[in-house]
Amino acid sequence: LIQQLSSCWSAQAGAVIKEGMVVKVSANIGRDRIVFNESIRIVDTNISKTNSFYGPITESAMRTLLHPDCIPLKLPESKYNLWKNLTITFDYSIMKRF
């Protein structure tokens, strides 16, 4: 899943993303493995709200779940109860590797 999402993630041009920056996003997902847009929210981040790139970085994490190339998510249909309420940690030092 992380490999799939990393291919759909892109930060706003000019945003400075440093190693160790993390954004935790939660979302509800339908049986069709499509994220319910209105359910996406930031759960936690270590990026200070005073960082001028806070908005672009956190918004990019949320947008990744709705990117057309990542629909549907690559999740096992038989384990729906495990991933219907999903929390994903976007660790930018890992996401940039894929």
Side-chain angles (χ1 to χ4, degrees), residues 27-36 39 73-86:
N28 299 327
I29 304 168
R31 285 194 175 275
D32 57 1
R33 295 170 292 157
I34 296 174
V35 175
F36 294 113
S39 73
L73 294 175
K74 294 179 180 175
L75 296 163
E77 291 180 49
S78 63
K79 297 191 179 195
Y80 175 70
N81 285 330
L82 295 176
W83 51 257
K84 65 182 177 181
N85 300 310
L86 192 63

Side-chain angles (χ1 to χ4, degrees), residues 45-69:
T45 183
N46 64 354
I47 303 168
S48 170
K49 288 187 179 183
T50 61
N51 181 324
S52 59
F53 298 110
Y54 173 86
I57 293 170
T58 55
E59 290 167 15
S60 72
M62 294 189 299
R63 276 194 319 270
T64 299
L65 295 173
L66 301 173
H67 192 287
D69 292 343

Side-chain angles (χ1 to χ4, degrees), residues 9-27:
W9 170 73
S10 65
Q12 180 180 0
V16 177
I17 301 173
K18 297 179 181 174
E19 186 155 342
M21 287 185 167
V22 174
V23 178
K24 191 179 286 190
V25 177
S26 71

